[in-house]
Amino acid sequence: MTDPLKSRVVRHSPSTGEGSPDVWGIYEPDTGSIQYICADPATRQAALIDVVWNFDPKNYRFSTESMDQVLDIVRDNDLKVQWVLDTHPHADHVMASAHLKERTGAPNAIGALVPEIAGIWAGLYNLPDAFDPTRDFDHLFEEGETFRIGDLEAKVMLSPGHTLGSITYVCGDAAFVHDTLMQPDAGTSRSDFPGGRTDELWDSIQAILALPGNTRLNVGHDYGTKERKEPMWEATVDAHRAHNIHVKDGTEREAFIERRQTRDKTLALPNRILAALQINLRGGRLPAAEGDGNHYLKLPVNRFD
Ligand SMILES: [Fe+2]
């Protein structure tokens, strides 16, 4: 039997009625990432969220099977891509944004504070002119900004903490919270990357948990747990408030901060981070080819503990 945590599991979470989107979650097993399609059932217009450009860090090779799979689901369900969205510049996988923009013609977007993250990493890579999110993304979303997916209204919440530029997309009774929350039985995501802050992560999570109790929260990663051997990614606000092992109702802010920071101190860098960020901060593009026609990445050494 195939291991679900090593499979490209797809689940459809249907619209619950007027104003509610159809959501597909597509699991990317190499990085435990969940990619989303959020669609208006009436007009078939859809946003793609946090889609992966596959990167094998053992052989330094890229491939497109994840975005191909997502676009197959788009085609099979007669959807039309209206937006290519990311919640933040991911540290553990490379984003498909630039490719998807080219393949679908839809504009790509991310949060308004991503230029600040780009500034931090331009320093860490000593690449002062490499990153310009205003060049590589068609739109940078501000706090509270609204936009449409077909006839549905979507709203942006800035959700700093995991990174300073993370955002949450809320569309009807679905929200895409990426690396703020994990599933209730796994808790929350780390807050120790450059620009990350545990106190801000707490505040961002509280704002998400203040959404209506039936809101379907869709997380960005899942790796299963000791007891749970299949990937899960959707749980309601009510389920998180009742069961989330890090932030359920009754948790004290200081206790969360202490617990999160203690855990983060034990974590190594994700194995793709130094390749991923210098591509993601270019909107999912490799650095320009050099004179020999090949692309090269740059690695800072002795910069991280
Ligand atoms: Fe992340």
Side-chain angles (χ1 to χ4, degrees), residues 40 42-43 45 82 148-153:
D40 173 15
T43 63
Q45 300 268 7
Q82 191 180 9
R148 301 199 86 78
I149 301 171
D151 291 338
L152 301 178
E153 184 173 272

Side-chain angles (χ1 to χ4, degrees), residues 87-93 162-163 166 178-179 189 193 221:
T87 50
H88 64 296
H90 311 278
D92 63 342
H93 63 86
H162 170 67
T163 73
S166 298
H178 206 259
D179 300 352
S189 287
F193 294 145
H221 286 292

Side-chain angles (χ1 to χ4, degrees), residues 15-22 38-42 148-149 151-154 170-174 216:
S15 163
T16 59
E18 194 170 344
S20 164
D22 268 323
C38 175
D40 173 15
R148 301 199 86 78
I149 301 171
D151 291 338
L152 301 178
E153 184 173 272
V170 184
C171 181
D173 66 348
R216 296 172 280 168

Side-chain angles (χ1 to χ4, degrees), residues 124-187:
L124 287 165
Y125 288 115
N126 194 27
L127 287 169
D129 303 317
F131 310 132
D132 180 0
T134 61
R135 171 196 67 201
D136 289 327
F137 293 93
D138 295 305
H139 190 70
L140 300 179
F141 284 114
E142 303 280 351
E143 164 67 23
E145 191 173 338
T146 59
F147 62 102
R148 301 199 86 78
I149 301 171
D151 291 338
L152 301 178
E153 184 173 272
K155 185 172 176 182
V156 172
M157 298 164 73
L158 297 193
S159 299
H162 170 67
T163 73
L164 72 85
S166 298
I167 59 178
T168 297
Y169 298 104
V170 184
C171 181
D173 66 348
F176 301 88
V177 303
H178 206 259
D179 300 352
T180 50
L181 292 162
M182 305 277 286
Q183 278 300 91
D185 58 2

